Amino acid sequence: MKSQGKVAALFLLPYLLVFLVFRFGPSVAGLFIGFMKWNIVGDAEFAGLNNFRKLLHDPIFWVSLKNTLLFLLLTLPPLIVFSLLVAVLLNQKLRFRNAVRTISIIPYVLIPAVVGIIWNWLYDNNFGILNYYLKAAGLGPVEWLTSEKWALLSIAIVTVWSFLGYNMILYLAGLQDISADLYEAAKIDGATGAQAFMRITLPLLKPITSMVITLTLINTIQIFDQIFVMTNGGPGTATLTLVQYLYGTAFQNYNLGYGSVLGMATLLILIVFVQIQSRLLKLED
């Protein structure tokens, strides 16, 4: 048994080293840097709680927080509802369903920067395909990424398109784990398809739904790549999210102390939302 434990430890060692060096270490360092005034080049100066006080009175932080919460509101519900509906559809015995499943996951495996570039072309005001058809229908053009009214919604659409297939695969795995005997018994008892869905499918998918919500919260609150490529936080501050503001503060303005505080605030907000959704799902049990 001892030899097996040593072998297991050896297999875990590479991951633990990577975790300590690239995850845990920077997190602890960021906590200390939050109490410093440091621009990378010079020596760090102890700033006490100044960075934390600045956070409370920083109007740009509150704008980025509002944009992040709005972005979450625009992406979380469709990523739950549409992913489940597509999974239910592709769980049926349909022709070409395996091909459709494969195609649906392609947007997720694409590099986010590539996704941003592709949708930049689609959204372009002058030669984008979306505005081309809107003009043909007499409805356009729409300033998708250059209007404060449409920019955040436009990126939310791209995010839903990107992550829908991944969430669908998770739901599909959960659906295939539900015994067909339960549906047969419900059918014998006279239950309709909608009743079986509400009384069997949704309750048994609750663990999957909890995981999907948690992963979606993490992905949307930490959204960066697509916004950086598509709008870089603009126009103005219309698409400036917490992580985008953190990046600009720490790595463009070289204010590592305040950037670390922004990172801690983002992590705290993420933890709060994950705890809320966990409690809500448990209350329904």
Side-chain angles (χ1 to χ4, degrees), residues 62-259:
W62 294 108
V63 169
S64 66
L65 176 59
K66 183 196 74 172
N67 290 340
T68 302
L69 296 179
L70 180 57
F71 185 78
L72 184 64
L73 183 64
L74 291 171
T75 54
L76 183 60
L79 277 172
I80 303 303
V81 176
F82 293 155
S83 299
L84 177 57
L85 293 178
V86 173
V88 171
L89 178 63
L90 294 182
N91 195 42
Q92 309 301 315
K93 294 181 179 180
L94 301 174
R95 193 178 182 185
F96 304 122
R97 67 174 183 176
N98 290 333
V100 176
R101 290 175 184 176
T102 303
I103 293 171
S104 65
I105 199 65
I106 290 176
Y108 178 76
V109 300
L110 290 175
I111 299 172
V114 173
V115 172
I117 293 171
I118 292 172
W119 279 88
N120 268 342
W121 292 337
L122 295 176
Y123 280 142
D124 189 89
N125 292 341
N126 299 316
F127 57 84
I129 190 171
L130 294 179
N131 277 335
Y132 173 81
Y133 285 110
L134 286 174
K135 287 179 183 178
L139 301 174
V142 175
E143 297 179 346
W144 296 102
L145 298 177
T146 57
S147 168
E148 293 185 1
K149 177 182 177 181
W150 294 103
L152 194 64
L153 176 61
S154 301
I155 297 177
I157 292 172
V158 177
T159 302
V160 171
W161 177 80
S162 298
F163 290 101
L164 186 93
Y166 178 73
N167 288 355
M168 181 273 295
I169 292 295
L170 295 177
Y171 272 123
L172 192 58
L175 287 169
Q176 293 178 350
D177 199 40
I178 299 176
S179 174
D181 295 338
L182 295 174
Y183 295 105
E184 289 294 334
K187 187 176 181 180
I188 293 172
D189 290 338
T192 63
Q195 289 173 331
F197 179 77
M198 297 299 296
R199 300 294 180 86
I200 298 175
T201 305
L202 286 183
L204 292 180
L205 285 179
K206 188 175 289 185
I208 301 296
T209 299
S210 178
M211 180 173 65
V212 167
I213 292 175
T214 300
L215 293 174
T216 304
L217 283 169
I218 293 172
N219 290 328
T220 52
I221 289 179
Q222 294 186 122
I223 188 73
F224 172 76
D225 305 73
Q226 292 168 5
I227 292 179
F228 183 77
V229 172
M230 298 178 71
T231 62
N232 197 26
T237 57
T239 59
L240 183 68
T241 58
L242 286 171
V243 176
Q244 185 74 28
Y245 185 37
L246 186 161
Y247 172 80
T249 300
F251 301 106
Q252 291 180 324
N253 297 329
Y254 302 110
N255 189 346
L256 284 187
Y258 189 51

Side-chain angles (χ1 to χ4, degrees), residues 35-46:
F35 293 93
M36 302 292 178
K37 181 181 179 181
W38 188 31
N39 63 355
I40 301 180
V41 179
D43 295 331
E45 299 178 9
F46 182 72

